[in-house]
Amino acid sequence: LHAYQSFLWNKVASFRIKTGGSTGVREGDLVLLEDKSLGETGGRTSGLKGKCVKVVDELDIKEGKFTIEDVVLPLVGSRVDYPTGSSGDFLVELMEEDGISKDAFSRIGDKEISLCGDYRKLMCKPSDVTFVVKEYNDPLQPLINTDLMDLS
């Protein structure tokens, strides 16, 4: 079931970027307003506890309230909100192709396999990144030291 959630998420993420771009928020997107799932140690807990999302409307776009880094997509489940507009429609189409509806996740009675769902960010902006430019002329010379080289 988790693989199916990820499969759907990847398909919808690709669709969203292809049709809506990778730089702006659009009407119908879901944005994460609050995420209290971050632990004091910086680690994340999975699940919906402490997460609050909102469907972006026309006023939010006019006011520039959100950026692409705020956009999330759901991992399908019984307790998530779904985007509206073309991304939401596409997600429903994908599930219908497999004979599944959104409410099917609420009907799973076995708690061992039931899925509440979750949210994943569509885009993450990297931070604290460093790099080094290395030049070389010998294509057989490794660009970085191997563990064995470091031991010598």
Side-chain angles (χ1 to χ4, degrees):
L1 289 173
H2 292 105
Y4 185 67
Q5 283 179 308
S6 294
F7 168 78
L8 290 174
W9 190 94
N10 288 328
K11 287 287 213 181
V12 175
S14 295
F15 175 84
R16 166 57 181 84
I17 290 170
K18 184 178 178 182
T19 60
S22 60
T23 57
V25 179
R26 68 179 186 181
E27 197 170 338
D29 281 341
L30 287 178
V31 290
L32 191 62
L33 296 177
E34 185 174 36
D35 187 355
K36 293 181 180 175
S37 69
L38 293 173
E40 289 180 8
T41 61
R44 296 184 63 87
T45 61
S46 63
L48 293 171
K49 189 174 184 178
K51 293 181 182 175
C52 178
V53 297
K54 174 191 188 325
V55 176
V56 174
D57 58 32
E58 190 177 339
L59 183 61
D60 294 327
I61 293 171
K62 283 181 184 176
E63 293 178 354
K65 283 186 177 179
F66 304 106
T67 68
I68 193 70
E69 288 91 18
D70 298 315
V71 176
V72 294
L73 289 173
L75 286 168
V76 294
S78 60
R79 293 174 36 208
V80 293
D81 292 327
Y82 291 87
T84 60
S86 60
S87 293
D89 294 342
F90 183 66
L91 178 57
V92 170
E93 284 175 32
L94 287 173
M95 289 191 296
E96 284 176 351
E97 286 174 10
D98 294 327
I100 297 172
S101 65
K102 288 193 256 184
D103 63 327
F105 296 97
S106 330
R107 292 192 307 253
I108 299 173
D110 187 345
K111 290 192 185 262
E112 291 292 316
I113 61 170
S114 67
L115 299 172
C116 293
D118 201 352
Y119 300 102
R120 286 186 187 163
K121 288 191 172 244
L122 179 63
M123 304 283 263
C124 294
K125 185 176 180 180
S127 61
D128 296 327
V129 177
T130 61
F131 67 93
V132 175
V133 177
K134 294 194 175 217
E135 292 185 34
Y136 71 102
N137 294 320
D138 183 356
L140 300 177
Q141 183 65 33
L143 288 175
I144 59 172
N145 284 347
T146 64
D147 291 341
L148 184 59
M149 293 170 146
D150 286 340
L151 289 174
S152 313

